[in-house]
Each structure stands twice: as structure tokens, then as C-alpha cells.
């Protein structure tokens, strides 16, 4: 070993040692446990008492699709994701667009739109369950009662108890909670567009809408992608919102709640692990390409 | 109030143009959204001050005729043990997270070793994993280590899974410290720990604030880990609240009062220190 190499090693080794505890923790608790969970999903450990379990390959992954409740929860998750991601993106974008050129009281507006982020879903679930109460006519409380009062009685509906659109209603509180965050992301994006570029486009005779179309919106693509990934992965693992608004009812079941039921009510570790593995795979499809893209982008800059 | 760290200084609007949205129209729209956003808060507050006699649908949206704090008193009695547990969880949890985040962030930005980027990317993936995917093994491990069901186990879980975001926040902050400072310390013969302790830590105030506030809020609001990892004696606020609200027998006024009580600490943090909370939020979007 040359002297030079030894002195280099001496320089970076302490740093590696300082990070080692975290590397070990992440290795065990993130990667080790993900692996352990996948292994468990491939066994026949369907109770918590029997010792030892057999390796059954992908049997559980296939068997899950025979269960009506699983298919239902997947469909629910898809509807919820489409409405929630679409709604939060649209509303967040609109709020940012209305504010981007500066407006009186901007700080106050931002504070109001963002405060739901600081509250737990368990707390807001209490009020949303009341707001989206399915009682109608004489029995109506919440939003249905409000619709009656302002002459929009025809809008009364079953909310999350609806057979077809129940999960779309369930996305409303999630949109309420997350659109302020999307607004903040887009606002940062809008303000990141150099004013000179806008000016140049105007000098070239662009109308204001053309400035947006050809200069500003292309600039927002990376922000939109970030927002999509963040909303998407939150949506796929949604749990406390559902539990706090409707509990464990099958009518609003999603994979994360179904997994909880499989572990705690059915006492079936292998089935719970299988559902969890599906959630991980769904999120990984979104996130892994994004992380790679992000790492490359950092290298370039 | 809160100014976000992400937006640059709010620019004054450029010269008005004929094709621009009239300002007052934008203002009115934004105001309308404010009302919609505050609707749930109105309901929470108004309902929590109502006596039981006013709990019928026809008065759902009206102000209480008789204002009473009875529901608040009962809710506080029910929720108190959970709030105590939440503080026992969030305070050590956020401090430990900050300590680990500072060490990792410093090394990964200023005292790098070969492969530091790979390590960092592998950490980042931990930020996005759905925790459902580790929950069953985590429970099994904690049972076998005999720390299952209590606050220490829950703190451990939060600190471990908080490593990615805390490391990211500190790393993004330390990148902005000039390398010359490190060099100068090195020339003076300071080793790594000395440099970290005497040069970097003293200027890390803002990053510590962001991480502590972010972790405090996340841990306080968490329900998933709490419901999987704690038993009745160590239930934090969220689990207690969910049990109170889930019971059909508890009147709405008490449910709403309990929900407000459960949110007071994080709301205070948000109103007083929202800036730092925002920065944590933005770090999650992976923009350095």
C-alpha cells in the first residue's frame, strides 16, 4: 500500500465510520425487512401459532386475486388515485396560477391553503365523516344539509357510501389536505422562470397566453413530475384517512386497510405480507425510475 | 406570518397588461377558496361548543345558542393520557432524528467517502417505501427483542425511518457551506470530528429547526406505526382520538373537541414556525 493511498484512506475513513450506524440501520430496517416481508409472503404461515412454515413460491400472490375483497380494494385504490392525484394537481396548480404574479395578502392565502398539511388525518377525519354523512332529507347533516340550505338540494348524495363514486368522495378530504402542498411546489416553479425570458417573449410579440404556453409551462414540467410522484405514492398507501372516515368497511376498502385487517383481525401474517408486497411493488414502479432520474439530474448540475 | 423558503422574494407584479386577469377577480377567487378550506374548521369549532341538547340535524350548521365548554372538558379527560404519550414519543424522537441527520448530512456533503452517492440514493429510497412493506417483520422483530408495545420501540421505528428525510435536509443545507471553511480547518490540523463540532454545528441552526419541526409534526400525526406498534398503555394521541371518534356512543361535540385538542401542538408549531415546516415539506420534493 502506497503512502498516498494510505493518507487518502485516513482522510475519508472517519466519515464512513460516522455514517456506518445509519447505513446498518437502513440496511436492516429498510432493505432487510422488505426482503423478509417478501420471504414471508412466499410461505404458508397463515396463523401466528404454528412453528415453521413451508415455502410456497408465488401461491399467495395468485390466490389473493380469488378474493372478492382484494379485487374491490384494488379497484378502489385506482379510483381514489385518479381522483385524488388529478384533483390535487388541478387545484394546486390553479391556486399557484392565481397567485404567481403576486397578490395582496399572499402570505395569508398561503398559510390558509397549507395548514391542512400540519394536521393529522385522524383529526380531520372526524369532521369529514360528519361533513360527508350520507343522511338525506330530514336526516341530513353536514354538506347535504348545507346544500339544502343554499338551494342546491339536488347535490345531496351518499358520499363515500356510494357504490360507484364512493371512493371519489373519499378523495375530497385528501385533495383538501394536499392541494396546498402542490400549490407551494407550483408557486416555486412559476417564480423560478426568469423574468428576462418572459420579457423577451413579450418583446417578440407574444401575447400573455402565448408567454405562458411557450415559456412558462415548459418550465413547470419537472415540478409537475415531482408532484405526480409524491401524490401517487401517497395515494397508493393511503391508510389513516380511510380508517378515520369510514373505519374498516368493505365499501371503502383499500389495500393498506385490507392488510391491517389481514394481520390483526384474520391473524394471517403470510396474507398480510402478500398485500404489503403488492403495495411496495406498486410504489416502486413509480419511484425507482424517478430516483434514478433525480440522481442523474443532480450529477449533471 | 409564514414566508416560504422556496419562493424567492415575492416579486412585485410586472406592468399591467390588457390581457391579464383583473387583479380583483383573482383576489375574489382566492378568497372563495379560503372559505372552502376553512369550512371544516368552522364545523369543528362550532360543534365543539354545543351542548347535547342542540345535537339534532336541523341545527347542524348554526352557531350554538348556548355556548358551553363541557365537551372540551370531557374530551380533555379522555385524551390526556394519549397527549402525554405523544410528547414522550415526539421529543426524544425528533432530537435523535436531528442528531443522526446532522452526522449523515455532514459526511455525505463535506467529508465524502468513495460510494457516498450510492449510499445517499439508497437512503432516499427509504423515504418513499410504503411502511406497510416493513410492518410485519418490524412487529416480529420487536416481539422477539421484547420492546413491542411500548413507546421506546415506537421511537426507534420513527428515528430509523426518519433517517432518509433528515439526512436529505441536512445534506441540502450543508452543500451551501463553502468548502474553503473545511479546508481552512484541515490546514489548522483539525480532524473530522473537530471540524464538525466547532465549525459546522455552530452554523447548523436553521437545518436543526427544520428537521426537529418536521419530525415533531410527522411523529405527532402518525397513525400507522402507532396502531401497529403500541399497546393500550402507550397509545399516542392519534390512536386514542380514533378510538374516541370511532365509538358510536360519543357525541359529536366531544369528538370535535377532541380532534381540535389533538391538533393544537402541531397547529401552534405551524403558525409560529411555519417557515421551517415548509422547508421540510419542500425537501421531500427532492429539490436541492
Amino acid at each position: 500500500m502506497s503512502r498516498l493511498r494510505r493518507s487518502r484512506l485516513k482522510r475519508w475513513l472517519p466519515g464512513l465510520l460516522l455514517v456506518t450506524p445509519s447505513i446498518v440501520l437502513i440496511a436492516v430496517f429498510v432493505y432487510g425487512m422488505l426482503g423478509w416481508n417478501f420471504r414471508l409472503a412466499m410461505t404458508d404461515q397463515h396463523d401466528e401459532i404454528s412453528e415453521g412454515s413451508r415455502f410456497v413460491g408465488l401461491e399467495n400472490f395468485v390466490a389473493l386475486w380469488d378474493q372478492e375483497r382484494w379485487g374491490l380494494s384494488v379497484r378502489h385504490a385506482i379510483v381514489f388515485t385518479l381522483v385524488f392525484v388529478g384533483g390535487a394537481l388541478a387545484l394546486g396548480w390553479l391556486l399557484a396560477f392565481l397567485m404567481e404574479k403576486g397578490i395582496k395578502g399572499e402570505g395569508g392565502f398561503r398559510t390558509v391553503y397549507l395548514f391542512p398539511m400540519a394536521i393529522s388525518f385522524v383529526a380531520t377525519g372526524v369532521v369529514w365523516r360528519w361533513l360527508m354523512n350520507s343522511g338525506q332529507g330530514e336526516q341530513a347533516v353536514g354538506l347535504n344539509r348545507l346544500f339544502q340550505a343554499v338551494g342546491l338540494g339536488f347535490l345531496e348524495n351518499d358520499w363515500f357510501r356510494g357504490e360507484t363514486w364512493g371512493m371519489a368522495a373519499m378523495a375530497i378530504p385528501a385533495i383538501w389536505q394536499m392541494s396546498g402542498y402542490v400549490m407551494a411546489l407550483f408557486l416555486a416553479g412559476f417564480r423560478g422562470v426568469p423574468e428576462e425570458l418572459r420579457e423577451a417573449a413579450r418583446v417578440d410579440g407574444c401575447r400573455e397566453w402565448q408567454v405562458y404556453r411557450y415559456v412558462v409551462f415548459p418550465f413547470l414540467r419537472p415540478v409537475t413530475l415531482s408532484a405526480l410522484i409524491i401524490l401517487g405514492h401517497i395515494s397508493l398507501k393511503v391508510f389513516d384517512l380511510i380508517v378515520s372516515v369510514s373505519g374498516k368497511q368493505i365499501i371503502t376498502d383499500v389495500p393498506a386497510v385490507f392488510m391491517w385487517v389481514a394481520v390483526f383481525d384474520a391473524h394471517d401474517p403470510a396474507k398480510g405480507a402478500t398485500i404489503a408486497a403488492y403495495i411496495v411493488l406498486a410504489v416502486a414502479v413509480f419511484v425507482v425510475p424517478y430516483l434514478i432520474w433525480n440522481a442523474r439530474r443532480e450529477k449533471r448540475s | 406570518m409564514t414566508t416560504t423558503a422556496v419562493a424567492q422574494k415575492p416579486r412585485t407584479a410586472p406592468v399591467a397588461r390588457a390581457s391579464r386577469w383583473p387583479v380583483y377577480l383573482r383576489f375574489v377567487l382566492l378568497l372563495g377558496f379560503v372559505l372552502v378550506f376553512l369550512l371544516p374548521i368552522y364545523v369543528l369549532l362550532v360543534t365543539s361548543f354545543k351542548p347535547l341538547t342542540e345535537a339534532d340535524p336541523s341545527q347542524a350548521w348554526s352557531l350554538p345558542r348556548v355556548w358551553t365548554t363541557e365537551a372540551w372538558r370531557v374530551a380533555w379527560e379522555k385524551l390526556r393520557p394519549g397527549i402525554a404519550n405523544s410528547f414522550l414519543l415526539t421529543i426524544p424522537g425528533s432530537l435523535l432524528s436531528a442528531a443522526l441527520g446532522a452526522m449523515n448530512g455532514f459526511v455525505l456533503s463535506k467529508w465524502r467517502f468513495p460510494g457516498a452517492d450510492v449510499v445517499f440514493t439508497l437512503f432516499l429510497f427509504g423515504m418513499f417505501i410504503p411502511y406497510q412493506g416493513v410492518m410485519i417483520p418490524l412487529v416480529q422483530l420487536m416481539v422477539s427483542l421484547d420492546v413491542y408495545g411500548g413507546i421506546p420501540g415506537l421511537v426507534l421505528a420513527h428515528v430509523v425511518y426518519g433517517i432518509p428525510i433528515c439526512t436529505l435536509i441536512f445534506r441540502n443545507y450543508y452543500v451551501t457551506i463553502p468548502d474553503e471553511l473545511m479546508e481552512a480547518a484541515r490546514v489548522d490540523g483539525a480532524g473530522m470530528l473537530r471540524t464538525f463540532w466547532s465549525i459546522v454545528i455552530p452554523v447548523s441552526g436553521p437545518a436543526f429547526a427544520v428537521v426537529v419541526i418536521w419530525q415533531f409534526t410527522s411523529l405527532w400525526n402518525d397513525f400507522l406505526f402507532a396502531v401497529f406498534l403500541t399497546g393500550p398503555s402507550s397509545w399516542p394521541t392519534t390512536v386514542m382520538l380514533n378510538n374516541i371518534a370511532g365509538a358510536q356512543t360519543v357525541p359529536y361535540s366531544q369528538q370535535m373537541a377532541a380532534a381540535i385538542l389533538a391538533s393544537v401542538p402541531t397547529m401552534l408549531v405551524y403558525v409560529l414556525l411555519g417557515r421551517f415546516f415548509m422547508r421540510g415539506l419542500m425537501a421531500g420534493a427532492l429539490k436541492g
Side-chain angles (χ1 to χ4, degrees), chain B residues 25-44:
Chain B
L25 186 62
R26 291 194 288 140
F27 194 80
V28 167
L29 271 173
L30 286 168
L31 217 50
F33 280 118
V34 165
L35 291 179
V36 173
F37 266 75
L38 292 179
L39 207 62
I41 304 306
Y42 169 84
V43 169
L44 277 167

Side-chain angles (χ1 to χ4, degrees), chain A residues 79-157:
Chain A
V79 172
F80 178 88
T81 299
L82 289 175
V83 178
F84 162 59
V85 174
L89 267 181
L91 183 54
W93 183 91
L94 177 66
L95 292 172
F97 178 73
L98 290 174
M99 278 198 275
E100 69 115 359
K101 287 189 169 159
I103 193 143
K104 215 181 163 86
E106 187 191 305
F109 283 130
R110 277 207 307 243
T111 304
V112 171
Y113 299 143
L114 259 169
F115 89 89
M117 283 292 302
I119 308 179
S120 66
F121 256 132
V122 180
T124 52
V126 173
V127 71
W128 281 103
R129 193 175 46 202
W130 182 88
L131 283 169
M132 300 199 295
N133 186 302
S134 58
Q136 290 175 26
E138 283 297 300
Q139 289 307 308
V141 292
L143 289 169
N144 282 352
R145 170 69 59 174
L146 190 66
F147 289 155
Q148 286 174 22
V150 296
L152 296 172
F154 64 91
L155 281 176
E156 284 190 68
N157 67 73

Side-chain angles (χ1 to χ4, degrees), chain B residues 7 73 85 121 125 129 146-147 151 203 226 237 271 282 284:
Chain B
R73 204 184 49 74
N85 282 335
T121 304
F125 180 67
I129 57 159
D146 215 16
V147 290
I151 300 268
V203 296
T237 311
V271 170
M282 286 294 145

